[in-house]
Amino acid sequence: MQKMEAQKTIPSRRDEQQSAALVWIVTPLLATGAAYAPVHAAARSSSLTPWIMPLLLSAAFAVLVSLLKAATWPAAAIGFLVCTILAQQPGFGALLALVVLFLLTFAATRFGRSKKELQRLAEGRSGRRAAQIVANLGVAALCASMGWYAGCIAALSEAAADTVSSEIGQAVGGQAWLITSLRRVPGGTDGGISVAGTATGVAAAALVVAAGTMHPAFRPDALLIFAAACAGLLFDSVLGATVERIGWLGNDLVNFSSTLFAAMIAVMWLLFRGRIL
């Protein structure tokens, strides 16, 4: 969920400290995950040719999102690490899911922008910050680096669903309800859900799951991953209506927690079944 500054109940200093801690903790893990495979190959005197294309694709993606002002340069640098990890996954399905996520969120963020700016709900024109990239994509990249493909796609799908539901819900307007009490609340309220926002969020999750499970090996788990993403979307709203609403957690930690929740549902279910993809 992306909320306007005036609606935040968390003290700004605490919010900034939480976001900074998230970046400083997760970014080194992402750097390690991105570098591990090529460094390991170099240590064994293996050819580095297989890693050239992922690096080039990741660099191009980072430059593109920065030029489009979809992310700041520090955020684009972290996006490069995420993209490098996802590009190393089999069949490029994770990378395709990331591209679909980017296209969906890019379009949703700009949909009805004038209306959202008047209501002070629009994202800054400089693009997403580093903490937002870590919050939305960090879990997916970490899951991919550990070989938990289903968790990776579930996290990417939840991130797409969350952003699209929030942006479209704010742009379309209409009635919103607090998920914990079903009490009517203004659009943009932490934990508020609307019909338009929820429907478009679920559709976004489905598209990302479809992109990430095109390979026959992953297709049997598509429904599970989709369900995990939808559960993560609901979990995000519950956190928004509770710990975010009372000022304990900022939006970045809520988003990170929601993608983690979606990923862990997928991973734990596959572990229960005795396999992990």
Side-chain angles (χ1 to χ4, degrees):
M1 295 176 295
Q2 305 301 326
K3 301 294 183 289
M4 65 181 181
E5 202 72 26
Q7 286 182 318
K8 291 185 176 181
T9 54
I10 184 173
S12 59
R13 182 174 176 80
R14 182 188 303 168
D15 190 28
E16 292 169 0
Q17 288 175 337
Q18 289 182 1
S19 297
L22 188 63
V23 171
W24 283 105
I25 291 172
V26 176
T27 302
L29 298 177
L30 296 176
T32 301
Y36 177 78
V39 169
H40 187 59
R44 294 182 302 169
S45 299
S46 300
S47 173
L48 294 178
T49 303
W51 313 115
I52 294 178
M53 185 57 69
L55 288 173
L56 291 177
L57 289 173
S58 301
F61 183 78
V63 171
L64 177 63
V65 298
S66 187
L67 291 177
L68 291 174
K69 295 190 181 301
T72 62
W73 277 106
I78 295 175
F80 168 78
L81 298 176
V82 170
C83 193
T84 300
I85 294 173
L86 299 188
Q88 296 173 14
Q89 301 307 300
F92 289 99
L95 184 61
L96 179 59
L98 177 64
V99 171
V100 172
L101 180 152
F102 170 71
L103 293 175
L104 289 171
T105 56
F106 184 80
T109 300
R110 281 149 185 77
F111 179 77
R113 189 181 189 102
S114 298
K115 178 179 179 180
K116 287 184 282 191
E117 285 181 333
L118 287 174
Q119 298 174 331
R120 297 180 61 201
L121 291 169
E123 180 186 283
R125 288 187 176 272
S126 60
R128 294 182 182 276
R129 299 173 289 104
Q132 290 176 304
I133 298 299
V134 170
N136 287 287
L137 304 180
V139 169
L142 293 176
C143 283
S145 67
M146 291 185 286
W148 297 347
Y149 189 84
C152 167
I153 302 303
L156 289 175
S157 303
E158 194 285 327
D162 178 34
T163 301
V164 170
S165 64
S166 178
E167 294 290 346
I168 298 300
Q170 292 168 1
V172 172
Q175 191 59 61
W177 294 266
L178 196 66
I179 191 170
T180 51
S181 66
L182 297 183
R183 177 171 55 87
R184 291 186 176 185
V185 292
T189 300
D190 292 331
I193 58 174
S194 66
V195 173
T198 302
T200 52
V202 169
L207 289 173
V208 175
V209 171
T213 58
M214 291 183 67
H215 192 285
F218 307 126
R219 206 168 294 154
D221 297 311
L223 185 59
L224 162 68
I225 295 171
F226 173 69
C230 292
L233 179 63
L234 292 177
F235 185 66
D236 181 273
S237 295
V238 171
L239 290 180
T242 54
V243 292
E244 185 177 7
R245 191 173 176 82
I246 62 178
W248 288 0
L249 292 184
N251 189 240
D252 292 328
L253 273 185
V254 166
N255 286 346
F256 185 84
S257 300
S258 301
T259 56
L260 180 62
F261 183 80
M264 287 302 98
I265 287 179
V267 170
M268 294 304 293
W269 176 249
L270 290 179
L271 281 173
F272 177 75
R273 292 174 58 187
R275 66 187 184 91
I276 274 289
L277 281 178

